[in-house]
Amino acid sequence: MNLKDKIAVVTGGGSGIGQATAEKLAGEGATVCIGDIASDRGEAAAAAIRKNGGKAEFLQVDLTDAGSVKRFADDVLKRLGRVDILVNAAGWGKTIPFLESDDAFWERVVNLNFVGPMRLTKALLPQMFERKSGRIVNVSSDAGRVGSLGETVYSGAKAGLIGFTKALAREGARYSVTVNCVCPGPTDTPLMAAVPEKIRDAFIKAIPMRRFGQPAEVAAAIAFFAGPQTDYITGQVLSVSGGLTMAG
C-alpha cells in the first residue's frame, strides 16, 4: 500500500481504534489530520506520529455540535487544501439497560455515533465529488449488525451508520468515491475498559478466538478500504471480531 501524497482525516484519532488508524495511514505515507474532542490526547497522538517520521496534525472537534463540525471541516480544507480519505472512527457508548436511559443519553450517543459522522461527511464530500476521487470509511460496530445487550441506543446508532454507508456508496459511485464500513467486535480500547468486568469476561468466552481484538487489527481493515487497491469495492461492511458474529 502506498498512500504518499494522500491527505486523511481521522476522527477519534486521539485514542483506541482512531489512533491506531492514524498511525497506520501515516505509516503508509499519508498526511493525517487527527480530529478529537480531547486536545491533550489528540496533540499527543499527532506528536507521536511526527516523532516516528510521519506527517500529522491535530484539530479539535466536538461531533455532537454542528458548529464545531463545520469549523473543523473548514479548517481542514483551509490548512490542507483537500481530503482524500475520511475515516469516521470516533464513537462512544455506555452499557445501560434501555429503560434506565434518558433523552440526554440518547442524544449524545446518536449525535456522536451517527449524526456527527453524517455532518462531517457532508461537509467534506463536495470536494471529493468535484475531483471524482475519495475514500470514506465509517467505523460502526458489530452491535449495529446483530445488536448488543445493554447497548440498545448505541446499537441503533451504529446500525444507522451502516445504512448510511450503503446508501451513500450508491450516490458516490458515479464520482469514483467509495464508501465502506468496518465493524469492530469487542476491542481492547478505553471504551472497552469502562465496561464492567463481568461483561468483558462474557465477551471473551463468546469470541471463538478467546480474546479481544487489538486496535491495530481494526486499523488494518480500515487502511485496506482506504488504499488504492479498492477502487471497485464500495458499500461493503466488514466485521473484525475474532469470529464473534460471522454476519452475512
Side-chain angles (χ1 to χ4, degrees), residues 3-105:
L3 297 179
K4 184 180 179 181
D5 298 326
K6 297 297 184 181
I7 297 172
V9 169
V10 181
T11 65
S15 63
I17 291 169
Q19 182 177 3
T21 300
E23 292 171 352
K24 175 66 174 176
L25 298 181
E28 298 292 347
T31 297
V32 178
C33 180
I34 291 172
D36 203 291
I37 193 171
S39 296
D40 54 346
R41 293 200 306 260
E43 292 282 11
I49 289 173
R50 293 193 297 268
K51 185 177 181 180
N52 288 325
K55 299 177 181 179
E57 60 182 85
F58 167 75
L59 289 172
Q60 188 178 39
V61 62
D62 179 357
L63 288 173
T64 68
D65 180 85
S68 178
V69 173
K70 184 180 185 305
R71 288 190 297 273
F72 175 76
D74 289 345
D75 287 347
V76 167
L77 294 176
K78 183 177 180 179
R79 290 193 185 195
L80 300 177
R82 70 178 195 280
V83 174
D84 301 298
I85 301 164
L86 170 61
V87 180
N88 286 307
W92 179 83
K94 183 178 180 181
T95 303
I96 181 174
F98 178 65
L99 290 180
E100 295 180 15
S101 63
D102 57 23
D103 283 10
F105 176 76

Side-chain angles (χ1 to χ4, degrees), residues 148 151 186 192 195 199-207 212 244:
S148 179
E151 295 183 309
M192 178 57 69
V195 173
I199 296 177
R200 294 201 306 270
D201 290 343
F203 274 142
I204 291 175
K205 290 178 181 178
I207 298 169
F212 290 138
L244 176 62

Side-chain angles (χ1 to χ4, degrees), residues 6-10 76-77 81-88 120-138 168 171-179 226:
K6 297 297 184 181
I7 297 172
V9 169
V10 181
V76 167
L77 294 176
R82 70 178 195 280
V83 174
D84 301 298
I85 301 164
L86 170 61
V87 180
N88 286 307
L120 182 56
T121 300
K122 186 178 181 183
L124 295 178
L125 190 61
Q127 51 89 34
M128 290 185 178
F129 278 9
E130 184 178 349
R131 292 183 292 107
K132 292 191 175 181
S133 175
R135 295 279 191 274
I136 299 172
V137 186
N138 294 319
L168 186 60
E171 291 190 36
R174 70 189 67 182
Y175 299 100
S176 299
V177 174
T178 67
V179 191

